[in-house]
Amino acid sequence: MLKAVKLRTEYLENPLGIDIEKPRFGWNLEGDGKRQTAFEIRAAHSEAALADSEIWSSGKVASSSMQHHEYGRKLQSRERVYWQIRVWDEEDAAGEWSEAAVFEMGLLERADWKAEWITGDYEPKAGQRYPADEFRRVFEENADDIASARLYITACGIYETCLNGTRVGDQVLTPGVTCYDTRNQYQTYDVTQLLKSGKNTWDISLGDGWFRGKMGVFGYSSVYGDTSCVIGQLEITKKDGTTSTIVTDAEFAWSNDGPVRFNDMKDGETVEGGKLPSYSGNAKVAEWDSILCCSNSVPVLEQETLMPQVLVTPDGSTVLDFGQNIAGYMAFSVQGHAGHTVKMQMGEMLDEKGNFTVKNLITEDTTPDFIPDCCDDTRFQTMVYTCGSSEREYWKPKFCVQGFQYVKLENWPEEVKPEHFQAIAVYSDMDVTAKFRCSSKNVEKLVENTLWSMKGNFLDVPTDCPTRERAAWLGDAQLFFDTGCYFMDFTAFFRKWMRDVFDDQAPDGKVYNIVPRGSEHGGMNEFVEGSSGWTDAGILIPYRYWKHFGDTRMLQDCYEPMKRLAEFMVSRMGDTSDSELDKKLEPSEYRQYVVTTGFHFGEWNEPGSTSMDVTLPKYEEATAYLAYSLRCMAEMAEAVGKEEDAEKYRDLSEKVKAAYQYYFMKNDTVDSKRMCQYVRPLALGLTDERSLKNVQEGLSRIAKESKYHVGTGFLSTPFVLNMLSQSGDTEAAYKMLENEKYPSWIYEIGQGATTIWESWDGIASRNHYSNGACCDWIFHTVGGIRIAGENRFEIAPVPGGSLTEASLEYQSLYGKVCCAWKKEDGKTVYTVEIPAGCEAQIRIPGYDVRVIEAGSYTFL
Ligand code: BGC
């Protein structure tokens, strides 16, 4: 019999505060049945009433599907729904009812909000920074009467809120980041237990965050506005059913004389220990107009904590080494005398002499145009703390996040002891879904480093790095998507971010290279916007999301904006206004399908490239991406029933492909010294039966000639191992994977990397996940597991290289699937586990291809 487990509402476990009109349910199965043949869901307003299906029952529905089943009733604001499920197996035997799950709706109408946005009582000057705002409201309550209480709250800035001195919830850096000029996401907290009888105190601290602090590539501040503000609504439901509501308004007391004198996401905080706000003034009502919504995503939480080793570096500095490069912050305690000031700077590396440095993140040598605001006062990733007394004092930052492994301490007033410091990793709370082991410590470490880089860059939006730019670059995200699918459950995370991406869509249909870009003021020069490979993320992420998670609602929700984006991309073909064009691309009937306009980053960071390469035309890259994205559009159009569009995109894609072949694959082959020019046509499906073999052979040849070094940049690195394997040269892929010499993945590990580096030599950011996008090859070719549709896997491990064993456990959307192999006594033993309700096609060397159902198998 089968039992449903891992119940999820819209990919979230018992979410409190969602606003998806028709939430969908999903589950996995446990038990000795093989297949689900039917299910029944029932729902009620309390757990006790579930047995009576108080508000809804789906009835027995014949289906093997475990995901995306819509709740069948219209929902109200604040409605709390318990649900549970039972399933029938292949014998038509009904299993027991599952444990109950629950979800609660947020405030669905703007009219539900009685609260007003409030801000501090001062006139902020453009570009100037201010201490954190402190708001307070005191009110009377009788706790005995309270049945439940909810707090709905968000900010333009970062808020932290307390009720009666207790911090509300465990989320940090709230409310996270959205395109604030379009939408603000609020959090919903159950605060029933925090209220008391008599006088209650509600405090809110407000920092600058992404809204007013430095943001993005250039580190501009105030990109969304100068007036940070907060809105909150505390709703108390009494046992007799009545409610009382306390809202942010001009009744709140306010001051900005609390401990946080300066705060910035990038630059850190300046804190005066022991200082208490006076709340001597009053809040002002602020004007802010945007959609108030739920994130419907996972919260940002504190995660791993690390203790340091204390180093004295050759230049005599005291430096903490946490042993792992992370994104987060450092909590510390210090004992000095009142007025003693300490300084802590966070960085990713020690220089060649072993001294602390942030030159890989801000020096003018390597990044001449980056973050000028940060360079002018050397205030970058720095905490400054002044002791308020001679007692031991503790501080944990709340308005900043930093990328670091090392912390340089200055002016520390006492012996530096590891137990006085704690590095706290902070990221979106996604479940880790892959457990990979193998006989090569280097390969294992590469996988581990990639996971750490993912953790370091998935903070409400996917950023390139947590240090220098901290920008949600679209290219990095789309290139990493297939790898990320294995590592962590980012279903809810990407749904949220795709909404951001389209919130910021330009009138001409393009999506920006970075979203949220920080309004027009914080964005990049319009000229570089819409780069191929970056803007395409607006099409490729929904496409891959749908392929991997079978979620058609993602396609429906994104279809119209994706279509506008596709039209924008198409509009860049065939422009002949460049008077030099004939010299670069000879005229032909095909030229109208080549992308000849727009700025494109191209490969980016390709070994041997120079910074000037970015100025070269990128016809090849852009045309390849256009053909590919249009093909994906055609498939998606078909999936949502837009036949006409599907035909149009398919036809156009074929024409663009033909043009690509005409110009860039002359004589049905590629003639280039650049590895990417073999990888790209293979990866994006631009070859045909005449050219396929030639290009595959070309790739194998160039890999061999390069002595199996990685020769690709951003755009092709994710595919290079896959394409070698598809060319029938998996051994070459293993050689490249295991290559210890520069440029290679393992070279970084030899240099002590604990995360993935931006450039193969490590001179730039050291926490850039995108080059870790080779891990999907490790997972599906070494580990042998691939999603092949709903409830279906393909198990096809290919042992190779120096590896004598490997194993992968993958907690997929459809359940946990495992594959392991081990070479023993000249034989390879394979073990496979398929979860209940699923099946897999097995392709194991030496065995017939066949389909197996749920169960454990050994192939000797
Ligand atoms: C970022 C990348 C980004 C790129 C555009 C860099 O500065 O760090 O990750 O995708 O610019 O090519």
Side-chain angles (χ1 to χ4, degrees):
M1 298 234 261
L2 291 170
K3 184 178 172 190
V5 292
K6 229 174 170 292
L7 274 59
R8 294 278 189 271
T9 305
E10 285 298 340
Y11 304 123
L12 299 165
E13 192 181 344
N14 299 333
L16 181 66
I18 56 170
D19 58 7
I20 295 174
E21 219 179 294
K22 290 191 175 155
R24 295 161 306 166
F25 301 132
W27 58 89
N28 290 166
L29 296 173
E30 236 175 47
D32 31 354
K34 298 272 179 213
R35 270 180 300 119
Q36 167 188 308
T37 52
F39 69 85
E40 180 183 358
I41 303 173
R42 62 187 184 187
H45 281 142
S46 71
E47 222 173 316
L50 274 171
D52 304 328
S53 304
E54 185 197 24
I55 49 174
W56 181 66
S57 159
S58 66
K60 184 177 174 184
V61 181
S63 168
S64 60
S65 166
M66 300 180 262
Q67 296 296 331
H68 309 133
H69 296 291
E70 264 181 26
Y71 177 66
R73 272 172 54 111
K74 191 168 163 44
L75 287 150
Q76 308 293 325
S77 286
R78 309 173 184 86
E79 191 171 345
R80 188 168 172 83
V81 177
Y82 293 80
W83 62 282
Q84 64 181 167
I85 171 166
R86 63 176 167 164
V87 301
W88 282 258
D89 66 12
E90 64 280 10
E91 313 270 298
D92 202 28
E96 59 177 305
W97 284 98
S98 71
E99 306 296 310
V102 65
F103 69 93
E104 186 174 304
M105 301 305 281
L107 304 178
L108 304 182
E109 308 290 334
R110 188 63 180 85
D112 290 323
W113 285 87
K114 306 287 177 254
E116 295 178 285
W117 286 97
I118 55 169
T119 184
D121 189 13
Y122 60 102
E123 293 302 328
K125 294 202 185 68
Q128 198 161 316
R129 304 295 290 277
Y130 298 87
D133 291 299
E134 310 285 351
F135 301 92
R136 170 167 284 184
R137 172 75 185 260
V138 179
F139 58 96
E140 294 284 330
E141 261 312 320
N142 180 359
D144 298 338
D145 293 347
I146 297 174
S148 73
R150 295 288 182 267
L151 174 63
Y152 306 94
I153 181 167
T154 187
C156 289
I158 291 178
Y159 74 82
E160 187 184 88
T161 186
C162 294
L163 275 170
N164 295 320
T166 303
R167 195 169 176 277
V168 175
D170 52 2
Q171 305 191 33
V172 294
L173 302 171
T174 44
V177 58
T178 51
C179 303
Y180 299 113
D181 40 4
T182 307
R183 134 185 4 255
N184 286 83
Q185 62 189 19
Y186 61 88
Q187 280 74 39
T188 305
Y189 300 102
D190 180 349
V191 292
T192 318
Q193 301 307 324
L194 298 182
L195 296 169
K196 57 178 191 183
S197 290
K199 208 172 84 172
N200 285 267
T201 308
W202 176 13
D203 293 338
I204 305 170
S205 302
L206 178 65
D208 293 348
W210 294 268
F211 184 85
R212 188 163 76 170
K214 287 180 182 170
M215 187 173 163
V217 178
F218 304 111
Y220 294 134
S221 50
S222 297
V223 291
Y224 283 106
D226 298 314
T227 305
S228 50
C229 48
V230 60
I231 187 168
Q233 182 154 311
L234 174 59
E235 296 188 352
I236 302 169
T237 308
K238 305 286 168 59
K239 288 185 178 142
D240 64 5
T242 58
T243 56
S244 68
T245 306
I246 295 150
V247 298
T248 49
D249 57 17
E251 297 284 291
F252 264 68
W254 165 86
S255 68
N256 62 359
D257 50 4
V260 181
R261 310 309 305 150
F262 167 85
N263 69 94
D264 184 86
M265 290 291 280
K266 281 189 170 185
D267 290 353
E269 295 176 0
T270 296
V271 178
E272 288 180 19
K275 214 169 158 62
L276 294 175
S278 65
Y279 302 107
S280 54
N282 264 79
K284 274 193 322 194
V285 168
E287 289 301 316
W288 186 254
D289 187 19
S290 74
I291 300 165
L292 287 172
C293 68
C294 301
S295 76
N296 302 317
S297 183
V298 284
V300 175
L301 297 181
E302 293 184 351
Q303 311 275 355
E304 294 88 344
T305 55
L306 305 167
M307 281 257 286
Q309 276 191 335
V310 181
L311 313 176
V312 176
T313 52
D315 65 1
S317 307
T318 303
V319 172
L320 306 175
D321 176 1
F322 286 94
Q324 174 63 52
N325 197 13
I326 63 162
Y329 37 70
M330 183 179 77
F332 56 92
S333 77
V334 60
Q335 189 165 22
H337 56 82
H340 183 96
T341 298
V342 294
K343 196 170 148 190
M344 294 149 264
Q345 188 173 30
M346 282 72 184
E348 293 186 316
M349 64 184 285
L350 301 179
D351 66 13
E352 52 293 339
K353 295 195 180 116
N355 294 320
F356 176 89
T357 181
V358 288
K359 75 168 191 274
N360 64 315
L361 305 173
I362 61 168
T363 61
E364 298 199 0
D365 298 352
T366 51
T367 53
D369 296 318
F370 291 139
I371 32 178
D373 290 6
C374 291
C375 295
D376 59 24
D377 58 0
T378 66
R379 178 65 194 257
F380 174 63
Q381 299 213 129
T382 302
M383 290 293 301
V384 177
Y385 185 89
T386 302
C387 300
S389 69
S390 51
E391 302 294 305
R392 177 157 296 285
E393 294 175 12
Y394 173 83
W395 187 257
K396 186 166 75 169
K398 44 188 168 187
F399 299 126
C400 61
V401 65
Q402 285 127 6
F404 67 104
Q405 171 172 343
Y406 300 96
V407 180
K408 180 172 165 181
L409 303 182
E410 281 177 62
N411 206 25
W412 206 256
E414 55 173 337
E415 190 192 340
V416 178
K417 291 193 178 154
E419 58 268 31
H420 292 154
F421 305 92
Q422 189 182 42
I424 304 169
V426 168
Y427 51 88
S428 287
D429 191 37
M430 304 169 293
D431 290 343
V432 173
T433 47
K435 206 190 272 176
F436 175 79
R437 293 280 167 271
C438 74
S439 55
S440 158
K441 291 295 151 227
N442 281 340
V443 175
E444 270 188 5
K445 183 73 180 150
L446 170 62
V447 171
E448 190 188 318
N449 287 2
T450 308
L451 176 58
W452 268 111
S453 273
M454 185 170 177
K455 291 175 174 178
N457 281 296
F458 276 63
L459 198 163
D460 213 27
V461 294
T463 55
D464 57 336
C465 60
T467 47
R468 189 187 68 216
E469 299 179 20
R470 306 163 175 227
W473 282 95
L474 270 74
D476 307 38
Q478 69 93 356
L479 292 163
F480 191 76
F481 193 87
D482 284 342
T483 283
C485 282
Y486 283 96
F487 270 118
M488 294 177 114
D489 176 3
F490 58 29
T491 38
F493 179 97
F494 264 104
R495 177 183 51 213
K496 180 261 172 196
W497 188 55
M498 286 320 294
R499 180 167 73 178
D500 297 336
V501 166
F502 289 121
D503 272 351
D504 226 350
Q505 186 166 26
D508 65 4
K510 74 166 147 299
V511 296
Y512 290 100
N513 295 332
I514 296 169
V515 182
R517 73 195 151 122
S519 77
E520 280 167 50
H521 168 49
M524 312 189 76
N525 188 326
E526 190 69 22
F527 163 74
V528 303
E529 288 295 0
S531 164
S532 282
W534 274 255
T535 202
D536 300 68
I539 288 172
L540 299 182
I541 291 179
Y543 177 78
R544 293 181 182 138
Y545 192 99
W546 167 56
K547 285 280 159 182
H548 205 87
F549 306 118
D551 187 337
T552 42
R553 193 184 278 177
M554 172 61 103
L555 304 190
Q556 284 147 358
D557 289 351
C558 296
Y559 190 75
E560 287 308 317
M562 286 197 296
K563 203 172 148 177
R564 287 202 294 280
L565 171 57
E567 299 303 326
F568 161 75
M569 285 158 65
V570 168
S571 76
R572 298 195 293 190
M573 308 183 310
D575 184 288
T576 51
S577 54
D578 174 359
S579 56
E580 302 282 292
L581 189 65
D582 285 359
K583 288 191 208 142
K584 300 173 194 157
L585 285 178
E586 86 267 11
S588 81
E589 60 180 299
Y590 294 103
R591 201 170 68 179
Q592 58 185 308
Y593 300 108
V594 175
V595 178
T596 47
T597 55
F599 168 87
H600 309 285
F601 290 109
E603 272 302 298
W604 195 251
N605 267 333
E606 187 179 359
S609 62
T610 72
S611 55
M612 287 316 285
D613 290 356
V614 84
T615 59
L616 301 173
K618 303 288 182 331
Y619 307 140
E620 184 265 316
E621 295 88 332
T623 305
Y625 262 92
L626 178 62
Y628 181 61
S629 288
L630 289 176
R631 208 176 65 234
C632 297
M633 267 310 281
E635 252 188 84
M636 292 189 282
E638 203 167 306
V640 296
K642 309 267 182 191
E643 289 304 331
E644 237 174 75
D645 288 354
E647 212 177 302
K648 173 176 138 193
Y649 292 130
R650 208 174 298 120
D651 176 61
L652 250 178
S653 171
E654 282 304 313
K655 289 183 167 130
V656 179
K657 177 174 161 178
Y660 183 92
Q661 293 177 343
Y662 177 83
Y663 284 105
F664 310 112
M665 287 172 41
K666 298 231 186 280
N667 305 319
D668 300 325
T669 190
V670 171
D671 180 18
S672 171
K673 300 231 173 309
R674 295 173 66 198
M675 200 174 274
C676 62
Q677 290 192 317
Y678 298 83
V679 173
R680 192 168 6 263
L682 293 172
L684 304 187
L686 300 166
T687 54
D688 56 22
E689 58 291 354
R690 295 186 315 276
S691 51
L692 178 67
K693 268 254 118 352
N694 297 338
V695 185
Q696 289 183 330
E697 282 167 15
L699 176 61
S700 285
R701 190 182 61 246
I702 197 163
K704 190 170 175 200
E705 281 168 11
S706 78
K707 302 205 169 48
Y708 304 103
H709 286 113
V710 186
T712 44
F714 260 46
L715 285 185
S716 304
T717 300
F719 305 116
V720 63
L721 301 180
N722 289 324
M723 291 309 114
L724 282 166
S725 265
Q726 275 182 28
S727 305
D729 203 354
T730 293
E731 262 317 306
Y734 269 104
K735 283 187 184 137
M736 195 175 280
L737 175 71
E738 293 196 81
N739 197 333
E740 294 177 13
K741 300 237 169 71
Y742 170 85
S744 75
W745 291 282
I746 305 297
Y747 168 78
E748 297 180 6
I749 289 164
Q751 301 294 303
T754 60
T755 37
I756 299 296
W757 293 352
E758 175 176 19
S759 57
W760 300 107
D761 51 17
I763 60 164
S765 143
R766 294 202 159 194
N767 201 353
H768 240 77
Y769 61 82
S770 79
N771 278 346
C774 59
C775 286
D776 75 324
W777 180 85
I778 299 179
F779 293 141
H780 58 63
T781 301
V782 184
I785 299 175
R786 227 187 254 268
I787 296 279
E790 187 177 16
N791 301 341
R792 205 178 155 85
F793 308 101
E794 186 186 81
I795 304 291
V798 188
S802 75
L803 274 58
T804 53
E805 60 182 299
S807 71
L808 175 63
E809 279 178 32
Y810 173 39
Q811 178 62 54
S812 77
L813 192 58
Y814 312 114
K816 187 160 99 181
V817 51
C818 310
C819 175
W821 55 265
K822 187 170 184 166
K823 292 186 175 172
E824 256 174 353
D825 309 327
K827 279 194 317 205
T828 307
V829 182
Y830 298 85
T831 51
V832 175
E833 266 176 59
I834 306 300
C838 296
E839 60 177 31
Q841 187 185 66
I842 300 275
R843 280 194 286 117
I844 286 183
Y847 291 87
D848 291 342
V849 176
R850 64 183 167 112
V851 174
I852 56 173
E853 50 184 9
S856 302
Y857 302 81
T858 302
F859 299 87
L860 291 170

